[in-house]
Amino acid sequence: MNKFITLLLLCLSFLTASGTETSRPRLLLTKKGVREIKAQLGRNPLTDAAFAKAKAVADAAVAGPVEVPIPQDVGGGYTHEKHKQNYTDMYNAGVVYQITGDKKYAAFVRCMLLAYAEIYPSLPVHPARFTKTPGKIFYHYLYICFPSE
């Protein structure tokens, strides 16, 4: 992953983890985190560079077609990599939407999620079953527990 995106993700995780603000709705950042990032734009070259990179990734995704292929491949294969890229594109678009308020980024994420919602119910377990916990989109299922707020 590009070092600027990594830096942005790291900054965002600190901003969201350090705040106690839990008002809703929030997508990826708290309202306080969004305010702090906006305050740094134009004042902090690292924030500017990280945001510019995230926006470039989001802009490229928004400009292209939404593609949600039927899963077939394990890591490194086209469908596996495309689903990973779709997640990255949605994440970046979500962050850019929260910072800019430009609804085209939210519309892109909505369209992508609806495309996944359309195919997901009919997907069988992924054809590559390497684990005892097979998934549908990827060949494994990861259970992630988020602590309640």
Side-chain angles (χ1 to χ4, degrees):
M1 187 180 293
N2 187 298
K3 63 184 174 182
F4 289 115
I5 294 209
T6 303
L7 176 64
L8 179 64
L9 296 176
L10 183 62
C11 291
L12 296 177
S13 68
F14 282 122
L15 289 174
T16 58
S18 65
T20 58
E21 182 178 348
T22 58
S23 62
R24 301 283 189 231
R26 71 176 187 204
L27 180 61
L28 301 170
L29 305 170
T30 63
K31 290 179 182 179
K32 181 181 177 197
V34 170
R35 284 192 306 270
E36 290 174 358
I37 291 170
K38 285 181 177 181
Q40 291 301 311
L41 289 174
R43 296 174 45 191
N44 184 320
L46 289 176
T47 303
D48 292 346
F51 179 72
K53 182 63 179 174
K55 188 172 182 308
V57 170
D59 286 339
V62 168
V66 169
E67 181 188 1
V68 179
I70 301 299
Q72 310 175 46
D73 306 306
V74 295
Y78 176 76
T79 62
H80 181 87
E81 296 303 316
K82 183 61 181 168
H83 291 297
K84 284 175 30 183
Q85 186 63 49
N86 285 348
Y87 169 79
T88 300
D89 292 345
M90 286 190 287
Y91 184 88
N92 282 294
V95 168
V96 173
Y97 167 69
Q98 286 192 273
I99 302 300
T100 66
D102 188 334
K103 293 184 185 207
K104 73 180 179 183
Y105 300 105
F108 167 77
V109 174
R110 179 182 186 275
C111 185
M112 181 76 73
L113 290 174
L114 288 173
Y116 273 101
E118 186 175 319
I119 69 162
Y120 193 81
S122 64
L123 288 178
V125 171
H126 195 286
R129 300 176 191 172
F130 295 134
T131 68
K132 292 181 182 180
T133 55
K136 287 186 168 192
I137 301 293
F138 295 104
Y139 60 87
H140 54 72
Y141 169 77
L142 295 176
Y143 176 75
I144 301 173
C145 179
F146 294 99
S148 61
E149 295 181 13

